[in-house]
Amino acid sequence: MPMREPGICVVDVAKGELRGATNRYTKTLGDLAGLYEDEEAYRALLAEMGDKVVYEVTDYKPSADAGDMIIGVTRMLPGKVGREFFLTRGHIHANPNRPEMYYGESGHGLMLLESPAGDIRTVEIGPRSLCYVPPYWIHRSVNVGPTELVMTFAYPADSGQDYDIIAKAGGMRSRIVDDGRGSWVAVDNESYRFRPAELVESIFAKAR
């Protein structure tokens, strides 16, 4: 059996990137159309920011084989669209019984998690804190601080991502907004639609 060679990557916290990464992707505010509640505020900020990157991911992918793993770094700018903090698209794993972990390097953020049935959890992430995302949880990162949020992550290489599960429900059940007192609060997403029981059951049936 051929053996892969060991690898080494360096987390550059100041730049918010993984040195030695094999992949990089970026998202501008324009790429996140439809995710925020205040469409007027979104369009105004989009006109101001143009194609400026609001978050980027650098990662190291040795392979997509079961038993392998992917490691990487996410960097998110601080900011709000109206009262809602900057966020990532979010996803559930295409193989939904795969977990993930996030380690806070700098900044102040949180992981917004939702079960397929619509249960919500929030986990705050700061420097030297480690967030465990269990299998089957939809998850999205949110920067609730005044500085860039930088996190290291790792997950099984055959996990994959499913973004449509959020879009088809009208977003996640909660939105993370400014509480007006220098912190954040989770509020109901008025556009949210609960998933049919058959869909929820099919997600758990994907385990293999």
Side-chain angles (χ1 to χ4, degrees):
M1 176 180 175
M3 298 285 288
R4 293 193 185 93
E5 291 297 318
I8 181 68
C9 296
V10 175
V11 177
D12 188 328
V13 178
K15 292 184 177 180
E17 66 180 20
L18 189 70
R19 298 208 306 266
T22 57
N23 183 57
R24 177 190 299 266
Y25 71 85
T26 62
K27 293 296 178 184
T28 66
L29 190 62
D31 294 324
L32 306 179
L35 298 189
Y36 292 96
E37 65 173 348
D38 190 333
E39 183 64 21
E40 184 176 347
Y42 170 78
R43 292 188 180 279
L45 187 59
L46 181 61
E48 178 184 330
M49 293 185 66
D51 60 356
K52 184 176 181 180
V53 172
V54 293
Y55 73 88
E56 66 178 338
V57 174
T58 46
D59 58 35
Y60 177 71
K61 298 180 179 181
S63 78
D65 297 344
D68 213 335
M69 66 185 300
I70 295 170
I71 56 176
V73 171
T74 297
R75 178 182 70 90
M76 294 183 64
L77 265 62
K80 289 179 290 185
V81 176
R83 63 174 184 161
E84 193 171 3
F85 289 101
F86 278 4
L87 48 78
T88 62
R89 291 175 65 194
H91 62 271
I92 194 172
H93 290 147
N95 289 324
N97 63 338
R98 306 303 197 257
E100 189 162 359
M101 60 76 64
Y102 290 83
Y103 178 79
E105 301 284 1
S106 67
H108 179 203
L110 62 83
M111 194 63 57
L112 176 62
L113 302 103
E114 180 185 318
S115 74
D119 300 310
I120 286 290
R121 302 286 187 273
T122 54
V123 178
E124 290 201 62
I125 300 176
R128 292 171 297 284
S129 63
L130 196 155
C131 172
Y132 166 60
V133 178
Y136 299 105
W137 284 86
I138 301 159
H139 47 287
R140 161 179 283 167
S141 304
V142 185
N143 187 350
V144 296
T147 62
E148 289 189 352
L149 172 65
V150 178
M151 299 179 294
T152 297
F153 61 82
Y155 59 94
D158 65 342
S159 298
Q161 286 86 26
D162 176 356
Y163 300 98
D164 287 344
I165 192 170
I166 296 176
K168 289 178 178 177
M172 295 185 73
R173 189 178 176 188
S174 291
R175 296 183 181 277
I176 305 302
V177 303
D178 191 331
D179 70 351
R181 301 185 297 275
S183 188
W184 61 272
V185 64
V187 299
D188 289 341
N189 173 12
E190 296 180 359
S191 301
Y192 184 77
R193 302 179 295 275
F194 282 94
R195 299 173 186 89
E198 300 79 25
L199 175 58
V200 174
E201 291 172 5
S202 71
I203 292 169
F204 289 101
K206 288 182 180 179
R208 65 174 189 263

